[in-house]
Amino acid sequence: KAGVTQTPRYLIKTRGQQVTLSCSPISGHRSVSWYQQTPGQGLQFLFEYFSETQRNKGNFPGRFSGRQFSNSRSEMNVSTLELGDSALYLCACRVSGLYNEQFFGPGTRLTVL
Amino acid sequence: AQTVTQSQPEMSVQEAETVTLSCTYDTSESDYYLFWYKQPPSRQMILVIRQEAYKQQNATENRFSVNFQKAAKSFSLKISDSQLGDAAMYFCAYRSAPQGGSEKLVFGKGTKLTVNP
């Protein structure tokens, strides 16, 4: 089966810039969640989309935003980048079933200089 | 809010031996799911095993099994016959159960497992 695709895999930006990350879930799956992973804070929930609607949002500043398209692809945007935004950004999609477990993409490594 | 605690930042095990990774959680909910995820150095997060809170029977997947103690809010992972490929970061995760609700996972900080040949 096809997996979760994230692009780009690596990204280097400078402070003050903005960035857009993309996630394409497993074909047919409508739920997409985003997580930020850093050595200090671990894995933190950013937001979740279902059928183009944001269903839940984590405790992140308004500089972090996202959206989902009708084909279930999702993007997250970070504006006015800060050094602390350097992280691995993971996208996960839900596989329908008893456990509704989530499958993760390979992540986008963002480095802010 | 739910929290997940993994008290062992690092663990090591000899190849072919057994190791147990600890996880405790805090919640006021009665129904929920618990998961163990593995993240090898390649970074792709892989689901290892899951447990539904209302099921008393501990989940097992080949060499991986859990010890789920609901009253103690404990969810440990046992890896039997450890293999070099088991070396990775292991994350314990919690998710509320209600159908149609959020899929948000709450993760522990992780345990780095080293497997020695």
Side-chain angles (χ1 to χ4, degrees):
Chain A
K1 62 182 177 183
V4 180
T5 304
Q6 290 190 247
T7 55
R9 294 291 306 275
Y10 303 90
L11 206 49
I12 299 175
K13 293 286 188 179
T14 56
R15 280 180 298 175
Q17 288 187 308
Q18 76 166 18
V19 66
T20 299
L21 311 181
S22 179
C23 170
S24 293
I26 296 170
S27 178
H29 294 103
R30 297 179 294 168
S31 171
V32 175
S33 300
W34 287 88
Y35 294 85
Q36 181 196 64
Q37 185 177 19
T38 60
Q41 299 299 316
L43 282 148
Q44 293 185 289
F45 173 77
L46 277 158
F47 26 65
E48 173 192 355
Y49 288 88
F50 182 79
S51 293
E52 303 179 60
T53 300
Q54 189 179 84
R55 185 157 65 179
N56 199 355
K57 188 178 190 302
N59 188 26
F60 278 81
R63 299 185 298 107
F64 291 81
S65 63
R67 59 178 176 169
Q68 186 180 30
F69 302 94
S70 59
N71 63 357
S72 296
R73 188 176 70 87
S74 178
E75 289 182 346
M76 67 162 284
N77 184 277
V78 187
S79 62
T80 319
L81 283 166
E82 301 177 358
L83 295 179
D85 296 333
S86 294
L88 180 66
Y89 290 89
L90 293 168
C91 161
C93 75
R94 172 171 63 87
V95 177
S96 296
L98 176 62
Y99 297 97
N100 289 336
E101 58 207 42
Q102 294 195 46
F103 283 85
F104 284 80
T108 293
R109 169 70 67 187
L110 172 64
T111 301
V112 182
L113 303 176
Chain B
Q2 296 81 22
T3 59
V4 177
T5 302
Q6 293 178 249
S7 59
Q8 308 151 316
E10 295 187 29
M11 292 279 286
S12 63
V13 63
Q14 292 295 127
E15 197 175 2
E17 297 294 308
T18 295
V19 65
T20 299
L21 308 184
S22 301
C23 172
T24 59
Y25 58 94
D26 188 29
T27 184
S28 58
E29 299 174 333
S30 59
D31 197 15
Y32 45 86
Y33 298 119
L34 295 165
F35 303 89
W36 278 99
Y37 280 89
K38 167 186 176 182
Q39 189 178 39
S42 66
R43 304 182 323 197
Q44 185 105 26
M45 193 84 77
I46 303 165
L47 178 66
V48 175
I49 198 166
R50 87 281 281 178
Q51 176 82 39
E52 206 163 8
Y54 75 79
K55 289 188 175 181
Q56 293 186 338
Q57 186 173 5
N58 289 325
T60 299
E61 290 284 346
N62 301 315
R63 299 182 294 106
F64 299 87
S65 62
V66 299
N67 183 4
F68 174 50
Q69 302 287 330
K70 190 173 184 179
K73 297 180 181 175
S74 170
F75 182 61
S76 61
L77 174 69
K78 185 172 83 171
I79 306 174
S80 304
D81 186 26
S82 296
Q83 300 175 0
L84 295 177
D86 295 333
M89 283 291 291
Y90 286 80
F91 294 94
C92 178
Y94 173 103
R95 202 194 81 216
S96 298
Q99 290 296 320
S102 174
E103 312 293 342
K104 172 186 173 181
L105 289 167
V106 178
F107 286 92
K109 293 290 190 185
T111 296
K112 181 180 179 181
L113 178 66
T114 300
V115 181
N116 301 309

